[in-house]
Amino acid sequence: MQHNIFTTMRSLKIMDGCKGSQVYAVHRPSSGGGSGGIGEKLLQQLHDHIKSQTFRSKSVRNYQPPNQTPNHTPNQTLSEVVAEGSLLPYGLPMTDLLEPKIEPFLRPVDFVERLAEIHNKIENCLEVDRSEVYLEHCTVFRGLSDAKLFRRSLRSARQHAVDVHNKVVLASWLRYERREDEMIGSSSMDCCGRNIECPKATLVANGYDPELVYDRCCCRRDREGEDEDEEDLMTLVVDDQECSTSDEDDGGGDMSFCIGDDEIRCHRFNMASLSRPFKTMLYGGFIESRREKINFSKNEISVEAMRAAEVFSRTKSLSTIEPNVVLELLSLANRFCCEEMKCACDAHLALLVCDMEDASLLIEYGLEETAYLLVAACLQVFLRELPVSMECSCFAKLFCSPEGRDRLATAGHASFVLYHFLSQVAMEEEMRSNTTVMLLERLAECAKDGWEKQLAYHQLGVVMFERKEYKDAQHWFEAAVEAGHVYSLVGVARAKYKRGHTYSAYKLMNSLINDYKPVGWMYEERSLYCIGKEKMMDLISATELDPTLLFPYKFRAVSLLEENRIGAAIAEINKILGFRVSPDCLELRAWFLIATEDYDAALRDVRAILTLDPDYMMFHGNMHGNHLVELLGPVVQQYNQADCWMQLYDRWSSVDDIGSLAVVHQMLENDPGKSLLRFRQSLLLLRLNCQKAAMRSLRLARNHSTSDYERLVYEGWILYDTGHREEALAKAEESISIQRSFEAYFLKAYALADSSLDSESSKYVIHLLEEALRCPSDGLRKGQALNNLGSVYVDCDKLDLAADCYMNALNIKHTRAHQGLARVYHLKNHRKAAYDEMTKLIEKACNNASAYEKRSEYCDRDMAKSDLTMATLLDPLRTYPYRYRAAVLMDDHKEAEAIEELSRAIEFKPDLQLLHLRAAFYDSINDFASTIRDCQAALCFDPGYAETLELCNKARERIKEQK
């Protein structure tokens, strides 16, 4: 059984770029002529209208249904129409204000070559260096749309971390990726049950075994064993011995330390064993060695601390000593070089750090006494509380200042990985802030030559550019280029352009295109410094080389708008929204739709934007999206909750994911605490490859759960979607033990099916889905369960049962079941019926690229090529069409064209299957070096992919034979 049988509903392809640059517009100056704009007086008048809500009656009077002609004369320009209304107080977008975003990630010119290089490093580096190489690995993957790849590499970096510091930082980073801080009732020190993220396991200093990170951690043991767990951790850290801590073992001692009027009896031998200074004092040539009583009053040591030192000298234990005394004992251990006692104090205090209050108090002690584990424990709390902990008063002093970095370095806790994590969080929170700049400066100070300096300098350039400090931005971008990051030339050119050196920027990008194999972003950038036909030609080239770039579509759409061709403008922006949904492109379409008075469609897009980014600001950042929803409300038909459910069924059945998102958003306005709707929202967002937004919806669903069994299901989905499959299964089982429910059974079946199943496992998945269908649920989810059940039946060769499932799913409007039914017909050798079934899906579905792709399997070669061409046109990210066309070319012995077909897709969509197939093609023409390169790059996506490993080893053997 294939691992992706359930992906029709819960697609786990991840799109990381939901937060693109917004489309800005400003009013045209009054001197700009008839098509120019809105004067200051009119803007004030519009503002007054909005404030007093008089626009509502005006908008209602002017509203006409979208299929009717707008009530303006044909010779009016769009700007004049806008000036008459009040729903666009900030005018229409302008091409002069559009520019692409400079990505803050590492972006290699030859991505495949870079991946192959990293894989080669992983294979050949020492075990102790492997964590650092995996960090480089995940940093390169950060620029891709699939966040699963980043998280998997981050887990590998944590798995191979050797020291406590790296364990603490990487485990905290993994937790941050799940954003558990947003889950009500969760603690920053909670873990998912495995050593890889366990806050206690990260503080274990001794031993290095990468396999242990996936073992169950001590947090999951029975509560009664907690004290024993802490003692185990102390034993691992400082190798404590089992000793009595009773004062009855004192035996009186043979000497005393006197502090004021108090006398602490000690054993001379035990005290001398604490350190070389004590041994020299007690047995050396000093006068104290001949005295029974030694005056310690002037050493600023309390009686309690000295008694604690005496107890430790005998027992090697601190279990009976108060924390404040242990702090003083730590200071004593430092002053007298008592390493064993210092380690014991360090480990003991580290176990006491549980929250921000503890961390804020104890980290100063730890830094002052260079207590490695104590600082690590405090640091861990700070990191696991991000981004909230950035508001702590001591954060800037500790992490942002050069002095703070030096203090952390002295304690062994200043590193590139630490500041890499902190700076990423800061950039997500507020890229322009002083905190972000200071953290990046510390990152640059910690960076070593190579990719670390490239990343630090490039990100400093990006932040300075966002702050409009163009001279500094240019400096940092140039430093990144000098360190070897070619993409930073984009930043150099853009900074020069902002400083008025347009021709210099053009020459720079022109030379870049001439010096390297051109890629889409090079032409996109050069287009900024051209005009007229040359600009449009560069944008066309950019789209041909990389159809996923947003800016060319946006620019062409706004250009068409300025030519009063608004229908063509909407069609242009629809091209990118067909396969890549982003708030800025949705905003642009909403802008256009308001101008055409299609308010229903505009409201749909605004609601979808707010689902992706609840804080999104529209119209040059001047209006919150929620306010625009309020403005559009009176001019669209209002629906109650029952009407919304009917609309959701219609949009779901027509595979209109954006429309479905909008309906769910409206339903949540009416019932904001409905966890089921939040869950439904997350499913839609996953289908649209917007995983960050999906995770936010899942967390809100979990927070609004009214029962334990429901909460456990949503926690299970969060764990599953972040790569914790076993933990997700445990949550599902726990939920079922409380109450049988559709979602709990469905989660368990889905998680179990995400692997190659044997016949017994398939039977169990079928049982689980049947149990799910016996539980109450709405038709939308039951349709999905029936569809998935049909898929399992097909894999078990039970075609009649599968057909029944698909037919039942279609009866409740689960349109995607046409695809499963077509598969059944095909397996029964009813190819025409399969083709017709897919045609029905194409006719019903708004987003039908996958339907065209699937239908191509049920027709002859020419028709298949036509369907696959349409699939690529609708969604260039689908890789099957490229692989099919390449295979056809290979069958026709056109090897060069076949490789070029794959290379075209790999440039913007590096993918395991594309790389493996191209490697096989290279192998067939005896280009073994290219075969190995593509295999190594492919193995970065899946290190255990057997076929690629075999092909790579075979190519290596052939090279050896040739030598």
Side-chain angles (χ1 to χ4, degrees), residues 36-53:
I38 306 170
E40 183 177 347
K41 183 176 179 180
L42 180 55
L43 279 175
Q44 183 60 47
Q45 184 182 14
L46 288 173
H47 177 74
D48 293 339
H49 282 325
I50 293 170
K51 189 173 182 179
S52 63
Q53 297 188 342

Side-chain angles (χ1 to χ4, degrees), residues 489-611:
L489 285 170
V490 167
V492 177
R494 197 81 65 88
K496 287 185 174 183
Y497 172 64
K498 293 294 185 181
R499 298 176 68 195
H501 308 302
T502 303
Y503 183 61
S504 177
Y506 175 84
K507 284 201 305 181
L508 185 60
M509 294 314 300
N510 200 50
S511 64
L512 181 61
I513 291 171
N514 292 331
D515 293 343
Y516 294 90
K517 181 182 178 181
V519 289
W521 54 263
M522 295 180 184
Y523 285 101
E524 177 185 71
E525 188 64 25
R526 192 176 71 173
S527 72
L528 295 181
Y529 318 125
C530 311
I531 58 173
K533 290 184 178 180
E534 189 178 354
K535 178 188 282 284
M536 298 309 293
M537 289 299 294
D538 272 356
L539 291 174
I540 290 170
S541 298
T543 299
E544 288 175 350
L545 290 169
D546 185 352
T548 67
L549 295 171
L550 302 181
F551 174 73
Y553 298 94
K554 290 157 65 175
F555 187 90
R556 287 189 292 263
V558 177
S559 295
L560 290 165
L561 176 75
E562 291 177 340
E563 296 171 5
N564 290 330
R565 298 169 59 192
I566 195 163
I570 293 172
E572 181 65 28
I573 208 67
N574 281 343
K575 291 178 184 177
I576 188 71
L577 286 171
F579 65 91
R580 183 174 178 184
V581 178
S582 66
D584 53 325
C585 289
L586 283 169
E587 177 193 16
L588 199 58
R589 188 169 70 176
W591 222 327
F592 298 162
L593 291 167
I594 292 173
T596 61
E597 300 182 10
D598 188 352
Y599 301 126
D600 285 287
L603 182 58
R604 171 203 64 200
D605 285 352
V606 177
R607 289 189 181 279
I609 290 168
L610 291 171
T611 304

Side-chain angles (χ1 to χ4, degrees), residues 423-485:
S423 60
Q424 290 306 307
V425 176
M427 289 174 73
E428 288 182 17
E429 288 299 299
E430 177 48 64
M431 184 172 282
R432 300 178 181 88
S433 71
N434 291 334
T435 297
T436 303
V437 173
M438 289 187 287
L439 288 172
L440 285 171
E441 287 173 344
R442 306 291 81 77
L443 180 69
E445 291 168 1
C446 294
K448 295 182 290 189
D449 288 338
W451 73 271
E452 293 184 0
K453 285 192 181 296
Q454 292 175 22
L455 179 70
Y457 296 158
H458 180 74
Q459 291 189 335
L460 270 166
V462 170
V463 170
M464 291 302 180
F465 186 85
E466 290 292 322
R467 288 162 63 99
K468 301 188 184 334
E469 298 175 23
Y470 300 123
K471 185 176 180 180
D472 287 339
Q474 183 176 333
H475 163 75
W476 287 116
F477 282 131
E478 286 172 345
V481 172
E482 188 176 347
H485 191 228

Side-chain angles (χ1 to χ4, degrees), residues 511-760:
S511 64
L512 181 61
I513 291 171
N514 292 331
D515 293 343
Y516 294 90
K517 181 182 178 181
V519 289
W521 54 263
M522 295 180 184
Y523 285 101
E524 177 185 71
E525 188 64 25
R526 192 176 71 173
S527 72
L528 295 181
Y529 318 125
C530 311
I531 58 173
K533 290 184 178 180
E534 189 178 354
K535 178 188 282 284
M536 298 309 293
M537 289 299 294
D538 272 356
L539 291 174
I540 290 170
S541 298
T543 299
E544 288 175 350
L545 290 169
D546 185 352
T548 67
L549 295 171
L550 302 181
F551 174 73
Y553 298 94
K554 290 157 65 175
F555 187 90
R556 287 189 292 263
V558 177
S559 295
L560 290 165
L561 176 75
E562 291 177 340
E563 296 171 5
N564 290 330
R565 298 169 59 192
I566 195 163
I570 293 172
E572 181 65 28
I573 208 67
N574 281 343
K575 291 178 184 177
I576 188 71
L577 286 171
F579 65 91
R580 183 174 178 184
V581 178
S582 66
D584 53 325
C585 289
L586 283 169
E587 177 193 16
L588 199 58
R589 188 169 70 176
W591 222 327
F592 298 162
L593 291 167
I594 292 173
T596 61
E597 300 182 10
D598 188 352
Y599 301 126
D600 285 287
L603 182 58
R604 171 203 64 200
D605 285 352
V606 177
R607 289 189 181 279
I609 290 168
L610 291 171
T611 304
L612 295 171
D613 182 358
D615 299 319
Y616 196 83
M617 300 294 290
M618 307 281 292
F619 307 145
H620 193 29
N622 286 304
M623 182 186 291
H624 195 285
N626 283 325
H627 185 50
L628 186 55
V629 170
E630 293 175 6
L631 299 186
L632 289 168
V635 295
V636 299
Q637 184 175 349
Q638 300 299 313
Y639 297 98
N640 60 31
Q641 203 76 340
D643 295 331
C644 286
W645 272 110
M646 294 302 296
Q647 283 205 6
L648 184 58
Y649 269 87
D650 289 340
R651 283 162 174 72
W652 194 281
S653 63
S654 62
V655 198
D656 178 8
D657 294 330
I658 293 176
S660 298
L661 272 185
V663 174
V664 172
H665 185 272
Q666 182 176 354
M667 295 170 79
L668 282 167
E669 278 187 346
N670 301 331
D671 191 359
K674 192 74 170 177
S675 59
L676 176 64
L677 292 174
R678 295 287 183 187
F679 179 59
R680 180 86 60 210
Q681 192 178 68
S682 75
L683 300 175
L684 288 163
L685 289 164
L686 283 174
R687 280 216 315 238
L688 291 169
N689 298 333
C690 304
Q691 201 202 21
K692 284 190 176 182
M695 287 295 101
R696 183 176 61 246
S697 295
L698 264 178
R699 288 190 293 273
L700 288 169
R702 183 263 186 198
N703 289 344
H704 286 99
S705 300
T706 56
S707 61
D708 288 341
Y709 79 88
E710 188 181 27
R711 173 182 55 79
L712 288 165
V713 170
Y714 300 143
E715 288 178 359
W717 278 120
I718 291 170
L719 287 165
Y720 178 82
D721 287 341
T722 51
H724 299 83
R725 179 174 170 272
E726 296 300 324
E727 289 75 12
L729 282 169
K731 292 285 186 182
E733 289 168 0
E734 188 179 353
S735 177
I736 291 170
S737 70
I738 297 173
Q739 180 170 325
R740 290 161 42 89
S741 69
F742 175 92
E743 292 300 347
Y745 279 115
F746 191 90
L747 168 60
K748 189 173 180 181
Y750 194 93
L752 285 172
D754 188 16
S755 61
S756 297
L757 297 177
D758 55 28
S759 59
E760 288 302 315

Side-chain angles (χ1 to χ4, degrees), residues 212-237:
L212 290 178
V213 297
Y214 295 109
D215 289 349
R216 297 188 73 80
C217 68
C218 56
C219 297
R220 292 299 186 200
R221 297 177 189 169
D222 293 337
R223 189 68 182 171
E224 58 268 21
E226 192 173 60
D227 293 337
E228 182 184 346
D229 294 339
E230 294 191 2
E231 193 64 36
D232 288 345
L233 183 56
M234 285 283 290
T235 301
L236 284 168
V237 176

